[in-house]
Amino acid sequence: MIARAVNRFGHWLTRRHAESYGRLEGKNVAVLMLSPQMDVFSEASPWSKHFAIQADRDNVTSFLGSARNRDWKIIQAPLVWTDNTPSTAMSETGYFRLVRENSLLEAGTTGAKLMTDMVSDGDIILTERAGLNAFYGTELQKTLVKHGIERLVILGGVANADLDSTSRMAVELDYDVTVASDLVSAVSKQDLDNIMEVTLPRIVSRVLTGDKILLEPT
Amino acid sequence: MTEEKIKRDKTALVVIDPYNDFLSFGGKSWLLNRATLRALDTNKHLEQLLGAARSAGMTICFAPHARYRAGVFDGRQFLNPSIYLARFFQTFSDGKWGGRFRKDCSPLPSEFVASEHLVSSGFVNTDLDEHLRKNGIDRLVLCGCLSNTCIESTARSAIELGYRVTIMSDALAAMSMADHQAATQTGFPMCAHEVISTSSFIGRLEP
């Protein structure tokens, strides 16, 4: 019981501290949209057979629109695989085993194409990567530095796969990271809850629903 | 089916953050970690792992978190929850008992201690990858603290760098059983090739 109270005190302290950072304002905010691709969002995709939790296409599109209206930079980070990528080591871990076995997000296929209604003029589209961490093998870090970005809102992708790996790396690189908890996919509700309620609150500044992120004063 | 042997010349045991503050009675995070330390019998398993790896002549590395000292986090603009709490409570204070490795999990003079990681991953801004590559290592066996923060972050970096990753299921600690379960149920399947017990590791270690 004492341990639980200490744990709760720790969470309260860190929430209070994150509030002291100020808000998601101005041109130093970027939205990092992971896997904005047909296989993830199109109705014809077999994605829903494998992912019980799916980010709602309309909600994601609407969120991105609102973010553009606030002058937040939108960065699209597509994920694909080929016969030779990712490395053998990564191919044998959970997410890549799942997408390869089910032919999802295979480079060159229709399913790997970007969702046209999620991309707009002025968005930055990163090089396609074959890995969970959007900072590896892409120009993401250079792009963020070039545009003076200090705060990242991360959404899309799969909660315990690319979203988790990319969020952790963003924190390592000293960005203020906010994760949109309801604009992601997950294999199960349990996976989503473990990531959004247990693990990421120890790592990132804020885990909020898309609506709450947009309620943050600008 | 016979399980694959663990090759001692290509495998490194990486012990992450085995500080008194995490593992020993009276440590600053011991109270939080106590439930997992007891449930998993972590300290006994860490000792057994190190003993077996040393007997087999395996590469052993320690990947320590940054010890608290004045100004250690000054270069950072944003302190994430774990760093903020480490600064608030001055966890792993440099030169103090809490900032020393637990006696039974301390490196021998011949074993490699990587440069300290500031956030969670034992690879980011450290010399761990360079040392492992120089020694021809392609497989890592991870143990230590904490399951869903430094262990998982290190595993996630390791797979991006092309290592095969084994995580020791009973040589870990976390700030609650929920944290440990979040890692084992949800995190590790994405960043580890296998999660095995200490007895399985010892049984599969190539003589």
Side-chain angles (χ1 to χ4, degrees), chain A residues 118-135:
Chain A
M118 288 185 187
V119 181
S120 180
D121 290 346
D123 290 3
I124 294 166
I125 301 171
L126 298 179
T127 306
E128 292 175 337
R129 73 185 194 284
L132 297 182
N133 183 335
F135 285 91

Side-chain angles (χ1 to χ4, degrees), chain A residues 81-125:
Chain A
W81 58 271
T82 70
D83 283 344
N84 302 315
T85 59
S87 65
T88 310
M90 189 175 290
S91 295
E92 292 169 5
T93 53
Y95 184 60
F96 277 99
R97 250 196 345 256
L98 192 156
V99 294
R100 290 175 83 106
E101 283 169 6
N102 295 288
S103 300
L104 297 164
L105 298 173
E106 184 177 2
T109 63
T110 305
K113 288 193 170 135
L114 294 176
M115 291 291 292
T116 50
D117 54 355
M118 288 185 187
V119 181
S120 180
D121 290 346
D123 290 3
I124 294 166
I125 301 171

Side-chain angles (χ1 to χ4, degrees), chain A residues 48-177:
Chain A
S48 60
K49 282 188 202 160
H50 310 287
F51 294 89
I53 309 291
Q54 280 191 281
D56 182 84
R57 175 180 174 170
D58 293 339
N59 289 346
V60 170
T61 307
S62 163
F63 182 88
L64 292 173
S66 300
R68 287 184 194 103
N69 291 338
R70 287 160 192 248
D71 265 349
W72 294 354
K73 183 63 76 186
I74 309 293
I75 301 174
Q76 308 278 0
L79 182 153
V80 297
W81 58 271
T82 70
D83 283 344
N84 302 315
T85 59
S87 65
T88 310
M90 189 175 290
S91 295
E92 292 169 5
T93 53
Y95 184 60
F96 277 99
R97 250 196 345 256
L98 192 156
V99 294
R100 290 175 83 106
E101 283 169 6
N102 295 288
S103 300
L104 297 164
L105 298 173
E106 184 177 2
T109 63
T110 305
K113 288 193 170 135
L114 294 176
M115 291 291 292
T116 50
D117 54 355
M118 288 185 187
V119 181
S120 180
D121 290 346
D123 290 3
I124 294 166
I125 301 171
L126 298 179
T127 306
E128 292 175 337
R129 73 185 194 284
L132 297 182
N133 183 335
F135 285 91
Y136 276 86
T138 73
E139 62 282 26
L140 176 55
Q141 172 64 352
K142 270 188 187 168
T143 302
L144 296 174
V145 171
K146 181 180 160 191
H147 289 275
I149 302 299
E150 296 175 346
R151 299 166 192 267
L152 275 177
V153 176
I154 305 182
L155 70 150
V158 173
N160 58 338
D162 49 348
L163 182 101
D164 188 321
S165 284
T166 302
S167 301
R168 286 173 192 260
M169 191 65 187
V171 169
E172 297 274 357
L173 295 170
D174 202 13
Y175 291 100
D176 173 35
V177 177

Side-chain angles (χ1 to χ4, degrees), chain B:
Chain B
M1 196 176 83
T2 313
E3 286 184 309
E4 185 195 355
K5 285 282 179 196
I6 295 172
K7 293 178 184 164
R8 59 183 176 161
D9 58 335
K10 303 286 259 179
T11 307
L13 177 68
V14 181
V15 187
I16 299 170
D17 304 346
Y19 287 116
N20 282 320
D21 266 348
F22 271 159
L23 295 173
S24 302
F25 174 75
K28 286 176 180 166
S29 292
W30 180 84
L31 184 65
L32 291 175
N33 297 349
R34 181 178 61 174
T36 51
L37 290 170
R38 286 184 176 168
L40 304 175
D41 212 350
T42 307
N43 288 323
K44 184 182 91 182
H45 291 130
L46 282 170
E47 203 178 331
Q48 287 174 350
L49 269 175
L50 277 165
R54 282 170 181 153
S55 298
M58 251 177 82
T59 296
I60 297 173
C61 301
F62 286 76
H65 200 282
R67 290 171 173 87
Y68 177 79
R69 53 185 85 86
V72 67
F73 301 120
D74 282 358
R76 289 188 66 87
Q77 184 176 3
F78 301 108
L79 301 183
N80 79 315
S82 61
I83 290 187
Y84 177 72
L85 292 176
R87 190 183 68 167
F88 188 88
F89 291 108
Q90 303 189 0
T91 320
F92 322 133
S93 278
D94 196 23
K96 303 270 177 67
W97 173 82
R100 286 203 284 276
F101 295 138
R102 183 178 163 85
K103 196 176 168 195
D104 300 333
C105 299
S106 293
L108 299 177
S110 60
E111 291 165 358
F112 180 72
V113 180
S115 48
E116 295 177 351
H117 54 270
L118 203 57
V119 187
S120 296
S121 169
F123 283 99
V124 177
N125 296 323
T126 74
D127 51 5
L128 180 59
D129 184 43
E130 185 190 344
H131 177 80
L132 294 169
R133 290 193 192 281
K134 218 184 312 179
N135 285 277
I137 300 298
D138 63 14
R139 179 180 190 150
L140 307 182
V141 176
L142 305 183
C143 60
C145 312
L146 300 164
S147 305
N148 60 342
T149 54
C150 292
I151 298 287
E152 194 177 327
S153 287
T154 302
R156 285 178 182 271
S157 294
I159 59 165
E160 298 285 345
L161 294 167
Y163 294 100
R164 289 184 60 78
V165 174
T166 298
I167 296 178
M168 304 309 305
S169 59
D170 53 4
L172 302 171
M175 288 197 169
S176 70
M177 282 310 291
D179 283 86
H180 179 69
Q181 281 161 2
T184 55
Q185 291 166 350
T186 299
F188 294 166
M190 294 292 138
C191 58
H193 296 86
E194 55 179 4
V195 181
I196 63 174
S197 66
T198 298
S199 62
S200 172
F201 169 81
I202 292 170
R204 286 170 54 192
L205 193 52
E206 197 180 57

